[in-house]
Amino acid sequence: MNSYYYYVDKSRPWFWWSGGGWRRFNDGRRYPAVNIIILTADSFDYALGRKQLAEPPQDSSSGSVISIKDMDEWKLHWNKSAPYNKLLVYAFYDKNSTLYKAMEKLLEKLAKQYIGKADFCKLDVDNFEYLAGLCGVEGAYPTFVLFKNCKQVGKVVGLKDDELERSIERALN
């Protein structure tokens, strides 16, 4: 069973689909990050089957890591990439972590290796606490969460180069 999360905007950010309808997210409970699908207004019709999946513009990945600073920037990038048959790799990190520099080197290497196939984005958990919670990120940084077609397709906790590359290859095939 899929869990759908719908992001509207800052004034009324998250809703959750629970069988009978959409519910607001403000009760502080943790929800399982199992088979999650994140939607925005732009990707909503795609998820409901009202729109066909489109291919992203050719070579739309930059080949470098995208630093996303706030939810507005996240939503803009998500709408540009998520509804397409393209892999998004989110690296949730804590800027005070000693692994931060090593994570950046790994991401840069992977961004160049998978240019045109995947977008690599880094998100500071201090700015994306709720999104990190939805994705099942719990205190171990960095945590890499993979999305394709708006759906979470993988997660790797820690700096595990080989495991992350295997997860990316599985998601791309």
Side-chain angles (χ1 to χ4, degrees):
M1 183 172 131
N2 294 326
S3 295
Y4 292 90
Y5 298 91
Y6 182 43
Y7 180 79
V8 181
D9 58 38
K10 284 185 195 172
S11 62
R12 12 175 216 139
W14 292 97
F15 289 86
W16 172 56
W17 177 262
S18 173
W22 291 100
R23 296 183 184 178
R24 252 192 88 89
F25 258 113
N26 59 2
D27 59 7
R29 289 185 290 163
R30 294 191 73 77
Y31 295 91
V34 177
N35 296 328
I36 72 165
I37 297 174
I38 295 179
L39 305 172
T40 61
D42 291 350
S43 59
F44 191 81
D45 286 337
Y46 153 72
L48 294 178
R50 295 180 191 160
K51 246 187 199 178
Q52 289 296 331
L53 183 65
E55 288 297 322
Q58 197 67 16
D59 294 326
S60 60
S61 298
S62 66
S64 62
V65 178
I66 301 162
S67 181
I68 299 181
K69 304 209 182 334
D70 59 29
M71 285 304 290
D72 289 336
E73 206 173 312
W74 171 83
K75 186 176 178 183
L76 184 68
H77 184 264
W78 181 266
N79 287 335
K80 190 172 72 171
S81 303
Y84 298 105
N85 192 16
K86 181 179 194 176
L87 182 64
L88 293 174
V89 180
Y90 286 148
F92 288 94
Y93 70 95
D94 180 358
K95 63 183 167 275
N96 298 321
S97 169
T98 56
L99 298 174
Y100 176 69
K101 290 267 188 236
M103 179 206 76
E104 283 200 321
K105 289 177 185 175
L106 172 62
L107 283 178
E108 287 296 336
K109 178 189 123 195
L110 293 172
K112 286 180 178 79
Q113 183 177 339
Y114 292 101
I115 190 166
K117 297 178 183 178
D119 278 355
F120 291 82
C121 307
K122 60 182 186 175
L123 299 96
D124 184 346
V125 290
D126 291 337
N127 297 338
F128 294 95
E129 188 175 323
Y130 196 79
L131 182 60
L134 288 180
C135 295
V137 176
E138 296 181 358
Y141 307 113
T143 299
F144 303 92
V145 182
L146 288 68
F147 283 91
K148 190 169 183 182
N149 302 336
C150 299
K151 185 174 184 173
Q152 184 176 336
V153 295
K155 180 169 78 168
V156 177
V157 179
L159 278 175
K160 300 174 184 163
D161 303 29
D162 294 340
E163 186 179 337
L164 181 57
E165 284 196 57
R166 280 193 304 275
S167 295
I168 291 169
E169 285 296 325
R170 269 194 309 271
L172 289 172
N173 295 324

